[in-house]
Amino acid sequence: MQKWKVLDSEYLYKTAHGNLRKDKCLLENDLVIEQYHVNEFADWVNAVVMTKKQEVILVKQYRHGGNDFFYEVPAGVAEEGESNTQAIKREVLEETGFQSDTEPIWLGEFFVNPATQNNKVISYFIPDAYPASAQNLDATENIEVHKIPIIELEKRINNGEILQMFSNFAFLLAKKHIN
Amino acid sequence: MQKWKVLDSEYLYKTAHGNLRKDKCLLENDLVIEQYHVNEFADWVNAVVMTKKQEVILVKQYRHGGNDFFYEVPAGVAEEGESNTQAIKREVLEETGFQSDTEPIWLGEFFVNPATQNNKVISYFIPDAYPASAQNLDATENIEVHKIPIIELEKRINNGEILQMFSNFAFLLAKKHIN
């Protein structure tokens, strides 16, 4: 089994949120794929954030790809010079106003969709969170913060109400850290 | 909280595997986003496939987005007129040669990444699988089939060797059906 050889490559666009690359690829059976599109993104970080009272902090926002409102765990991208743990702490504070004196616990890192994307998501669990400041959002963000007791969240997940895969996955990974 | 209004929309490409749409959007705070890219895909189906001896059937293949080889659960897209369960049974048979006399058990359905994509993944558990035929692959596919005892698979997941998020997530969802 061999990697594909890239015969030609160009960018359809580059933006602050990601690039789209178009490759012409030679397969090991000599077949040529004229156009294979790859979404290039920076790695993403996200976190299951929980208070000492076992309430999980979720954010609700409009997502244009899905054309609907979604409950999700806080998430974002590291800025220049930031580590992933610094990034997720900053994103959580900006999106929710919560912080914790306990360091983020690494849950795992995974390629989001290696068929069509080049990036990973790194997931954390942040326990002992408490409200520390107001939200600090970008102009394009409108984010509601929801504090949901873990027992209620599990019911809502089981009822299919939390429909974003990243958030469900992070929560399943975090469960072994939650008593 | 309101949905964005689409002021203008065009397709950068349409292919058999997905489309790329570019929208000009008006936000509720009157901000305009000139270019917001949405990947349009059909819904995906995937399945944790297990034999009566508790071996899980994984496929290993080159993924050009991630530029590496990945172990994954079998996955695909429904063809015209197929239900999702028909689709996953066909994909499993084509990719691995395995089938089961037990109907696929629905594990859940989730938006893959509603910020930038419009599609869902629907995950199933297929127990009691047995080898039934040879693989039947597309010309662009080169897929190795791996039969991994569930105890070994759990070790490999815990060691971070199964790096594709969909596959890990489906496995975590399937665990409640596995004794």
PDB file of all heavy atoms in Angstrom, chain A residues 151-177:
ATOM      1  N   ILE A 151     -26.186  15.138  34.934  1.00  0.00           N
ATOM      2  CA  ILE A 151     -27.255  14.134  34.806  1.00  0.00           C
ATOM      3  C   ILE A 151     -28.250  14.534  33.728  1.00  0.00           C
ATOM      4  O   ILE A 151     -28.695  13.718  32.923  1.00  0.00           O
ATOM      5  CB  ILE A 151     -27.956  13.934  36.177  1.00  0.00           C
ATOM      6  CG1 ILE A 151     -26.971  13.293  37.152  1.00  0.00           C
ATOM      7  CG2 ILE A 151     -29.211  13.097  36.030  1.00  0.00           C
ATOM      8  CD1 ILE A 151     -27.465  13.236  38.576  1.00  0.00           C
ATOM      9  N   GLU A 152     -28.565  15.852  33.682  1.00  0.00           N
ATOM     10  CA  GLU A 152     -29.461  16.332  32.634  1.00  0.00           C
ATOM     11  C   GLU A 152     -28.787  16.240  31.258  1.00  0.00           C
ATOM     12  O   GLU A 152     -29.424  15.875  30.263  1.00  0.00           O
ATOM     13  CB  GLU A 152     -29.862  17.779  32.928  1.00  0.00           C
ATOM     14  CG  GLU A 152     -30.960  18.267  32.000  1.00  0.00           C
ATOM     15  CD  GLU A 152     -31.165  19.778  32.083  1.00  0.00           C
ATOM     16  OE1 GLU A 152     -30.966  20.354  33.174  1.00  0.00           O
ATOM     17  OE2 GLU A 152     -31.507  20.374  31.032  1.00  0.00           O
ATOM     18  N   LEU A 153     -27.491  16.557  31.206  1.00  0.00           N
ATOM     19  CA  LEU A 153     -26.778  16.490  29.921  1.00  0.00           C
ATOM     20  C   LEU A 153     -26.793  15.063  29.375  1.00  0.00           C
ATOM     21  O   LEU A 153     -27.013  14.852  28.177  1.00  0.00           O
ATOM     22  CB  LEU A 153     -25.335  16.982  30.096  1.00  0.00           C
ATOM     23  CG  LEU A 153     -24.467  16.910  28.841  1.00  0.00           C
ATOM     24  CD1 LEU A 153     -25.050  17.750  27.708  1.00  0.00           C
ATOM     25  CD2 LEU A 153     -23.040  17.348  29.137  1.00  0.00           C
ATOM     26  N   GLU A 154     -26.567  14.092  30.250  1.00  0.00           N
ATOM     27  CA  GLU A 154     -26.586  12.698  29.786  1.00  0.00           C
ATOM     28  C   GLU A 154     -27.955  12.331  29.226  1.00  0.00           C
ATOM     29  O   GLU A 154     -28.057  11.644  28.214  1.00  0.00           O
ATOM     30  CB  GLU A 154     -26.204  11.755  30.934  1.00  0.00           C
ATOM     31  CG  GLU A 154     -24.773  11.941  31.351  1.00  0.00           C
ATOM     32  CD  GLU A 154     -24.087  10.629  31.692  1.00  0.00           C
ATOM     33  OE1 GLU A 154     -24.158  10.247  32.867  1.00  0.00           O
ATOM     34  OE2 GLU A 154     -23.502  10.007  30.777  1.00  0.00           O
ATOM     35  N   LYS A 155     -29.022  12.799  29.883  1.00  0.00           N
ATOM     36  CA  LYS A 155     -30.378  12.546  29.361  1.00  0.00           C
ATOM     37  C   LYS A 155     -30.537  13.149  27.979  1.00  0.00           C
ATOM     38  O   LYS A 155     -31.089  12.533  27.065  1.00  0.00           O
ATOM     39  CB  LYS A 155     -31.424  13.185  30.302  1.00  0.00           C
ATOM     40  CG  LYS A 155     -31.899  12.270  31.410  1.00  0.00           C
ATOM     41  CD  LYS A 155     -33.099  12.902  32.113  1.00  0.00           C
ATOM     42  CE  LYS A 155     -33.118  12.472  33.568  1.00  0.00           C
ATOM     43  NZ  LYS A 155     -33.764  13.463  34.447  1.00  0.00           N
ATOM     44  N   ARG A 156     -30.038  14.397  27.828  1.00  0.00           N
ATOM     45  CA  ARG A 156     -30.207  15.091  26.546  1.00  0.00           C
ATOM     46  C   ARG A 156     -29.379  14.428  25.456  1.00  0.00           C
ATOM     47  O   ARG A 156     -29.796  14.374  24.300  1.00  0.00           O
ATOM     48  CB  ARG A 156     -29.861  16.572  26.707  1.00  0.00           C
ATOM     49  CG  ARG A 156     -30.938  17.274  27.526  1.00  0.00           C
ATOM     50  CD  ARG A 156     -30.518  18.631  28.013  1.00  0.00           C
ATOM     51  NE  ARG A 156     -30.523  19.615  26.953  1.00  0.00           N
ATOM     52  CZ  ARG A 156     -30.411  20.920  27.158  1.00  0.00           C
ATOM     53  NH1 ARG A 156     -30.290  21.399  28.401  1.00  0.00           N
ATOM     54  NH2 ARG A 156     -30.415  21.764  26.155  1.00  0.00           N
ATOM     55  N   ILE A 157     -28.207  13.943  25.812  1.00  0.00           N
ATOM     56  CA  ILE A 157     -27.411  13.191  24.827  1.00  0.00           C
ATOM     57  C   ILE A 157     -28.155  11.921  24.428  1.00  0.00           C
ATOM     58  O   ILE A 157     -28.281  11.601  23.243  1.00  0.00           O
ATOM     59  CB  ILE A 157     -26.014  12.867  25.407  1.00  0.00           C
ATOM     60  CG1 ILE A 157     -25.160  14.141  25.410  1.00  0.00           C
ATOM     61  CG2 ILE A 157     -25.339  11.752  24.610  1.00  0.00           C
ATOM     62  CD1 ILE A 157     -23.803  13.984  26.051  1.00  0.00           C
ATOM     63  N   ASN A 158     -28.678  11.202  25.416  1.00  0.00           N
ATOM     64  CA  ASN A 158     -29.404   9.962  25.118  1.00  0.00           C
ATOM     65  C   ASN A 158     -30.673  10.214  24.306  1.00  0.00           C
ATOM     66  O   ASN A 158     -31.107   9.359  23.538  1.00  0.00           O
ATOM     67  CB  ASN A 158     -29.730   9.200  26.397  1.00  0.00           C
ATOM     68  CG  ASN A 158     -28.477   8.638  27.037  1.00  0.00           C
ATOM     69  OD1 ASN A 158     -27.474   8.383  26.348  1.00  0.00           O
ATOM     70  ND2 ASN A 158     -28.501   8.462  28.352  1.00  0.00           N
ATOM     71  N   ASN A 159     -31.262  11.409  24.473  1.00  0.00           N
ATOM     72  CA  ASN A 159     -32.432  11.779  23.667  1.00  0.00           C
ATOM     73  C   ASN A 159     -32.059  12.317  22.288  1.00  0.00           C
ATOM     74  O   ASN A 159     -32.936  12.732  21.530  1.00  0.00           O
ATOM     75  CB  ASN A 159     -33.250  12.867  24.383  1.00  0.00           C
ATOM     76  CG  ASN A 159     -33.988  12.323  25.574  1.00  0.00           C
ATOM     77  OD1 ASN A 159     -34.180  11.110  25.693  1.00  0.00           O
ATOM     78  ND2 ASN A 159     -34.394  13.214  26.467  1.00  0.00           N
ATOM     79  N   GLY A 160     -30.760  12.372  21.980  1.00  0.00           N
ATOM     80  CA  GLY A 160     -30.342  12.849  20.668  1.00  0.00           C
ATOM     81  C   GLY A 160     -30.427  14.354  20.509  1.00  0.00           C
ATOM     82  O   GLY A 160     -30.537  14.863  19.403  1.00  0.00           O
ATOM     83  N   GLU A 161     -30.369  15.094  21.639  1.00  0.00           N
ATOM     84  CA  GLU A 161     -30.497  16.549  21.533  1.00  0.00           C
ATOM     85  C   GLU A 161     -29.165  17.262  21.334  1.00  0.00           C
ATOM     86  O   GLU A 161     -29.135  18.438  20.994  1.00  0.00           O
ATOM     87  CB  GLU A 161     -31.173  17.112  22.798  1.00  0.00           C
ATOM     88  CG  GLU A 161     -32.633  16.734  22.905  1.00  0.00           C
ATOM     89  CD  GLU A 161     -33.215  17.149  24.246  1.00  0.00           C
ATOM     90  OE1 GLU A 161     -32.903  18.245  24.716  1.00  0.00           O
ATOM     91  OE2 GLU A 161     -33.957  16.328  24.831  1.00  0.00           O
ATOM     92  N   ILE A 162     -28.059  16.576  21.596  1.00  0.00           N
ATOM     93  CA  ILE A 162     -26.743  17.204  21.400  1.00  0.00           C
ATOM     94  C   ILE A 162     -26.170  16.581  20.130  1.00  0.00           C
ATOM     95  O   ILE A 162     -25.630  15.479  20.140  1.00  0.00           O
ATOM     96  CB  ILE A 162     -25.814  16.973  22.605  1.00  0.00           C
ATOM     97  CG1 ILE A 162     -26.513  17.328  23.918  1.00  0.00           C
ATOM     98  CG2 ILE A 162     -24.508  17.756  22.433  1.00  0.00           C
ATOM     99  CD1 ILE A 162     -26.836  18.792  24.105  1.00  0.00           C
ATOM    100  N   LEU A 163     -26.313  17.305  19.046  1.00  0.00           N
ATOM    101  CA  LEU A 163     -26.157  16.693  17.728  1.00  0.00           C
ATOM    102  C   LEU A 163     -24.807  16.949  17.080  1.00  0.00           C
ATOM    103  O   LEU A 163     -24.598  16.572  15.947  1.00  0.00           O
ATOM    104  CB  LEU A 163     -27.247  17.214  16.796  1.00  0.00           C
ATOM    105  CG  LEU A 163     -28.551  16.432  16.893  1.00  0.00           C
ATOM    106  CD1 LEU A 163     -29.627  17.072  16.050  1.00  0.00           C
ATOM    107  CD2 LEU A 163     -28.324  14.992  16.417  1.00  0.00           C
ATOM    108  N   GLN A 164     -23.886  17.577  17.790  1.00  0.00           N
ATOM    109  CA  GLN A 164     -22.590  17.865  17.175  1.00  0.00           C
ATOM    110  C   GLN A 164     -21.596  16.793  17.599  1.00  0.00           C
ATOM    111  O   GLN A 164     -21.379  16.549  18.784  1.00  0.00           O
ATOM    112  CB  GLN A 164     -22.145  19.271  17.588  1.00  0.00           C
ATOM    113  CG  GLN A 164     -21.079  19.838  16.676  1.00  0.00           C
ATOM    114  CD  GLN A 164     -19.826  20.156  17.427  1.00  0.00           C
ATOM    115  OE1 GLN A 164     -19.558  19.625  18.495  1.00  0.00           O
ATOM    116  NE2 GLN A 164     -19.016  21.022  16.847  1.00  0.00           N
ATOM    117  N   MET A 165     -20.982  16.138  16.624  1.00  0.00           N
ATOM    118  CA  MET A 165     -20.160  14.968  16.905  1.00  0.00           C
ATOM    119  C   MET A 165     -18.989  15.258  17.828  1.00  0.00           C
ATOM    120  O   MET A 165     -18.742  14.530  18.780  1.00  0.00           O
ATOM    121  CB  MET A 165     -19.635  14.365  15.601  1.00  0.00           C
ATOM    122  CG  MET A 165     -18.900  13.064  15.833  1.00  0.00           C
ATOM    123  SD  MET A 165     -18.421  12.218  14.316  1.00  0.00           S
ATOM    124  CE  MET A 165     -17.250  13.365  13.637  1.00  0.00           C
ATOM    125  N   PHE A 166     -18.240  16.337  17.577  1.00  0.00           N
ATOM    126  CA  PHE A 166     -17.087  16.679  18.419  1.00  0.00           C
ATOM    127  C   PHE A 166     -17.466  16.729  19.884  1.00  0.00           C
ATOM    128  O   PHE A 166     -16.734  16.267  20.741  1.00  0.00           O
ATOM    129  CB  PHE A 166     -16.537  18.061  18.062  1.00  0.00           C
ATOM    130  CG  PHE A 166     -15.907  18.135  16.728  1.00  0.00           C
ATOM    131  CD1 PHE A 166     -16.614  18.578  15.640  1.00  0.00           C
ATOM    132  CD2 PHE A 166     -14.592  17.756  16.559  1.00  0.00           C
ATOM    133  CE1 PHE A 166     -16.018  18.653  14.395  1.00  0.00           C
ATOM    134  CE2 PHE A 166     -14.001  17.827  15.320  1.00  0.00           C
ATOM    135  CZ  PHE A 166     -14.710  18.272  14.235  1.00  0.00           C
ATOM    136  N   SER A 167     -18.607  17.358  20.158  1.00  0.00           N
ATOM    137  CA  SER A 167     -19.006  17.579  21.546  1.00  0.00           C
ATOM    138  C   SER A 167     -19.386  16.268  22.212  1.00  0.00           C
ATOM    139  O   SER A 167     -19.005  15.997  23.354  1.00  0.00           O
ATOM    140  CB  SER A 167     -20.178  18.564  21.588  1.00  0.00           C
ATOM    141  OG  SER A 167     -19.770  19.804  21.047  1.00  0.00           O
ATOM    142  N   ASN A 168     -20.129  15.444  21.495  1.00  0.00           N
ATOM    143  CA  ASN A 168     -20.475  14.129  22.031  1.00  0.00           C
ATOM    144  C   ASN A 168     -19.237  13.286  22.288  1.00  0.00           C
ATOM    145  O   ASN A 168     -19.117  12.620  23.315  1.00  0.00           O
ATOM    146  CB  ASN A 168     -21.361  13.391  21.027  1.00  0.00           C
ATOM    147  CG  ASN A 168     -22.812  13.690  21.238  1.00  0.00           C
ATOM    148  OD1 ASN A 168     -23.454  13.055  22.058  1.00  0.00           O
ATOM    149  ND2 ASN A 168     -23.321  14.677  20.540  1.00  0.00           N
ATOM    150  N   PHE A 169     -18.326  13.310  21.335  1.00  0.00           N
ATOM    151  CA  PHE A 169     -17.119  12.508  21.450  1.00  0.00           C
ATOM    152  C   PHE A 169     -16.288  12.964  22.646  1.00  0.00           C
ATOM    153  O   PHE A 169     -15.829  12.152  23.460  1.00  0.00           O
ATOM    154  CB  PHE A 169     -16.315  12.616  20.150  1.00  0.00           C
ATOM    155  CG  PHE A 169     -15.078  11.786  20.121  1.00  0.00           C
ATOM    156  CD1 PHE A 169     -15.094  10.447  20.481  1.00  0.00           C
ATOM    157  CD2 PHE A 169     -13.873  12.338  19.714  1.00  0.00           C
ATOM    158  CE1 PHE A 169     -13.936   9.675  20.438  1.00  0.00           C
ATOM    159  CE2 PHE A 169     -12.720  11.579  19.662  1.00  0.00           C
ATOM    160  CZ  PHE A 169     -12.749  10.253  20.029  1.00  0.00           C
ATOM    161  N   ALA A 170     -16.088  14.288  22.778  1.00  0.00           N
ATOM    162  CA  ALA A 170     -15.308  14.811  23.901  1.00  0.00           C
ATOM    163  C   ALA A 170     -15.956  14.407  25.223  1.00  0.00           C
ATOM    164  O   ALA A 170     -15.273  14.034  26.187  1.00  0.00           O
ATOM    165  CB  ALA A 170     -15.195  16.335  23.796  1.00  0.00           C
ATOM    166  N   PHE A 171     -17.288  14.448  25.254  1.00  0.00           N
ATOM    167  CA  PHE A 171     -17.975  14.087  26.493  1.00  0.00           C
ATOM    168  C   PHE A 171     -17.776  12.606  26.828  1.00  0.00           C
ATOM    169  O   PHE A 171     -17.511  12.245  27.981  1.00  0.00           O
ATOM    170  CB  PHE A 171     -19.461  14.422  26.380  1.00  0.00           C
ATOM    171  CG  PHE A 171     -20.208  14.168  27.644  1.00  0.00           C
ATOM    172  CD1 PHE A 171     -19.985  14.971  28.766  1.00  0.00           C
ATOM    173  CD2 PHE A 171     -21.104  13.126  27.743  1.00  0.00           C
ATOM    174  CE1 PHE A 171     -20.646  14.719  29.941  1.00  0.00           C
ATOM    175  CE2 PHE A 171     -21.779  12.866  28.916  1.00  0.00           C
ATOM    176  CZ  PHE A 171     -21.550  13.670  30.030  1.00  0.00           C
ATOM    177  N   LEU A 172     -17.860  11.746  25.818  1.00  0.00           N
ATOM    178  CA  LEU A 172     -17.615  10.309  26.067  1.00  0.00           C
ATOM    179  C   LEU A 172     -16.186  10.086  26.562  1.00  0.00           C
ATOM    180  O   LEU A 172     -15.949   9.267  27.450  1.00  0.00           O
ATOM    181  CB  LEU A 172     -17.866   9.484  24.794  1.00  0.00           C
ATOM    182  CG  LEU A 172     -19.312   9.298  24.361  1.00  0.00           C
ATOM    183  CD1 LEU A 172     -19.395   8.414  23.129  1.00  0.00           C
ATOM    184  CD2 LEU A 172     -20.161   8.703  25.478  1.00  0.00           C
ATOM    185  N   LEU A 173     -15.232  10.821  25.989  1.00  0.00           N
ATOM    186  CA  LEU A 173     -13.838  10.675  26.445  1.00  0.00           C
ATOM    187  C   LEU A 173     -13.654  11.174  27.871  1.00  0.00           C
ATOM    188  O   LEU A 173     -12.865  10.616  28.637  1.00  0.00           O
ATOM    189  CB  LEU A 173     -12.899  11.488  25.528  1.00  0.00           C
ATOM    190  CG  LEU A 173     -12.725  11.004  24.097  1.00  0.00           C
ATOM    191  CD1 LEU A 173     -11.922  12.028  23.294  1.00  0.00           C
ATOM    192  CD2 LEU A 173     -12.036   9.645  24.038  1.00  0.00           C
ATOM    193  N   ALA A 174     -14.399  12.221  28.215  1.00  0.00           N
ATOM    194  CA  ALA A 174     -14.238  12.820  29.548  1.00  0.00           C
ATOM    195  C   ALA A 174     -14.857  11.980  30.645  1.00  0.00           C
ATOM    196  O   ALA A 174     -14.482  12.106  31.830  1.00  0.00           O
ATOM    197  CB  ALA A 174     -14.852  14.233  29.565  1.00  0.00           C
ATOM    198  N   LYS A 175     -15.791  11.097  30.277  1.00  0.00           N
ATOM    199  CA  LYS A 175     -16.569  10.413  31.300  1.00  0.00           C
ATOM    200  C   LYS A 175     -15.735   9.619  32.296  1.00  0.00           C
ATOM    201  O   LYS A 175     -16.086   9.514  33.470  1.00  0.00           O
ATOM    202  CB  LYS A 175     -17.617   9.492  30.636  1.00  0.00           C
ATOM    203  CG  LYS A 175     -18.892  10.231  30.286  1.00  0.00           C
ATOM    204  CD  LYS A 175     -19.898   9.323  29.634  1.00  0.00           C
ATOM    205  CE  LYS A 175     -20.651   8.487  30.670  1.00  0.00           C
ATOM    206  NZ  LYS A 175     -21.786   7.783  30.010  1.00  0.00           N
ATOM    207  N   LYS A 176     -14.611   9.083  31.843  1.00  0.00           N
ATOM    208  CA  LYS A 176     -13.808   8.278  32.791  1.00  0.00           C
ATOM    209  C   LYS A 176     -13.172   9.146  33.880  1.00  0.00           C
ATOM    210  O   LYS A 176     -12.695   8.611  34.868  1.00  0.00           O
ATOM    211  CB  LYS A 176     -12.756   7.448  32.053  1.00  0.00           C
ATOM    212  CG  LYS A 176     -11.670   8.212  31.373  1.00  0.00           C
ATOM    213  CD  LYS A 176     -10.673   7.227  30.717  1.00  0.00           C
ATOM    214  CE  LYS A 176      -9.836   7.960  29.681  1.00  0.00           C
ATOM    215  NZ  LYS A 176      -9.028   7.075  28.864  1.00  0.00           N
ATOM    216  N   HIS A 177     -13.194  10.470  33.672  1.00  0.00           N
ATOM    217  CA  HIS A 177     -12.644  11.381  34.695  1.00  0.00           C
ATOM    218  C   HIS A 177     -13.742  11.926  35.608  1.00  0.00           C
ATOM    219  O   HIS A 177     -13.467  12.699  36.511  1.00  0.00           O
ATOM    220  CB  HIS A 177     -11.927  12.554  34.044  1.00  0.00           C
ATOM    221  CG  HIS A 177     -10.729  12.138  33.246  1.00  0.00           C
ATOM    222  ND1 HIS A 177      -9.529  11.835  33.823  1.00  0.00           N
ATOM    223  CD2 HIS A 177     -10.565  11.961  31.925  1.00  0.00           C
ATOM    224  CE1 HIS A 177      -8.653  11.495  32.889  1.00  0.00           C
ATOM    225  NE2 HIS A 177      -9.257  11.557  31.728  1.00  0.00           N
TER     226      HIS A 177
END
